[in-house]
Amino acid sequence: MTKYSSELKIQVASDYLNGRGSYNGLSKKYNITPSIIRTWVNTAELNGLESLKVKLTKREYSVEFKLDVVSYYLKSDEGRNLVAAKFNISPSQVYSWTKKFQQGGPEALLPVKKGRPAKMPKKTKKAEKAKRNKQIGTLTDKQKYEAKLLEKDARIKELELELIIAKKVAARYPRYPIDKRHR
């Protein structure tokens, strides 16, 4: 069960898009935070009002799609909400995939076998491992190369941000001259 119905989402987004209210005005009218309304409006602008309908089935995403989303997010200066609206997924999904990618690389985006393991394995470990690799799939050399590039781009962006922050801190708090008495 979702917190907001499809009809409410479509109504609020269409009200904003048709000029019948601002984010704050609609927030007060419907008792919804403006950031949620902004997300709905961005999704509706990029993908149409139909994209706001609640999805009743669980969607499975390919590794390529996940890598596309993560690479776009890491390379662009857009926030999670705009990237999510562009790909018609939830912002929490963008965050989750990006975090997994940064911690475990592209292999972390592969589907994971779910469920409780069997009590008594019927086959040898090698046969199970081969079967699991066929089910889950492996990354191609091209995907591995692209993933390494993404990791390096993300690290460069992270270091650039650290440098900018360090420069701002240094500008705001210059070092005090050392007094001769304190030597």
Side-chain angles (χ1 to χ4, degrees):
M1 186 81 193
T2 59
K3 187 170 182 179
Y4 301 106
S5 68
S6 299
E7 294 79 20
L8 177 67
K9 291 179 182 181
I10 291 171
Q11 178 64 42
V12 172
S14 63
D15 282 355
Y16 180 83
L17 292 173
N18 293 327
R20 288 184 246 145
S22 64
Y23 289 126
N24 289 333
L26 293 171
S27 171
K28 290 176 184 172
K29 180 179 178 182
Y30 292 104
N31 196 24
I32 301 170
T33 61
S35 63
I36 293 175
I37 296 172
R38 193 173 298 113
T39 301
W40 294 345
V41 169
N42 288 337
T43 303
E45 284 177 332
L46 292 171
N47 302 314
L49 289 173
E50 290 296 315
S51 63
L52 293 175
K53 288 192 174 182
V54 176
K55 286 100 179 156
L56 298 176
T57 58
K58 183 179 177 190
R59 294 177 16 187
E60 295 287 329
Y61 300 101
S62 68
V63 177
E64 291 81 19
F65 179 76
K66 292 176 184 180
L67 282 172
D68 288 344
V69 171
V70 170
S71 67
Y72 184 82
Y73 176 66
L74 293 175
K75 289 180 181 177
S76 71
D77 290 333
E78 296 179 6
R80 274 196 316 248
N81 289 339
L82 287 176
V83 173
K86 179 178 175 62
F87 289 96
N88 198 19
I89 57 176
S90 71
S92 63
Q93 198 68 66
V94 175
Y95 173 78
S96 172
W97 291 343
T98 305
K99 187 174 180 181
K100 284 180 181 178
F101 177 79
Q102 289 174 336
Q103 290 176 348
E107 286 81 16
L109 297 177
L110 290 171
V112 178
K113 186 177 178 184
K114 296 188 179 183
R116 186 175 183 178
K119 289 182 181 178
M120 295 294 290
K122 295 179 181 178
K123 298 180 181 178
T124 64
K125 289 184 180 182
K126 286 183 182 179
E128 264 186 35
K129 198 172 197 178
K131 184 180 176 185
R132 192 172 356 143
N133 285 341
K134 284 182 183 176
Q135 287 176 346
I136 294 175
T138 57
L139 293 175
T140 63
D141 290 337
K142 182 182 177 186
Q143 290 172 331
K144 289 179 184 177
Y145 177 73
E146 288 175 351
K148 282 185 180 181
L149 287 177
L150 285 175
E151 288 174 0
K152 293 195 186 281
D153 286 346
R155 181 68 178 144
I156 289 170
K157 193 172 186 179
E158 184 181 322
L159 290 172
E160 287 173 346
L161 288 174
E162 287 178 12
L163 181 64
I164 291 169
I165 291 170
K167 285 181 179 179
K168 287 185 178 184
V169 168
R172 187 173 285 170
Y173 302 106
R175 295 182 180 221
Y176 295 104
I178 298 175
D179 194 7
K180 292 180 181 177
R181 290 180 285 172
H182 297 293
R183 285 189 183 186

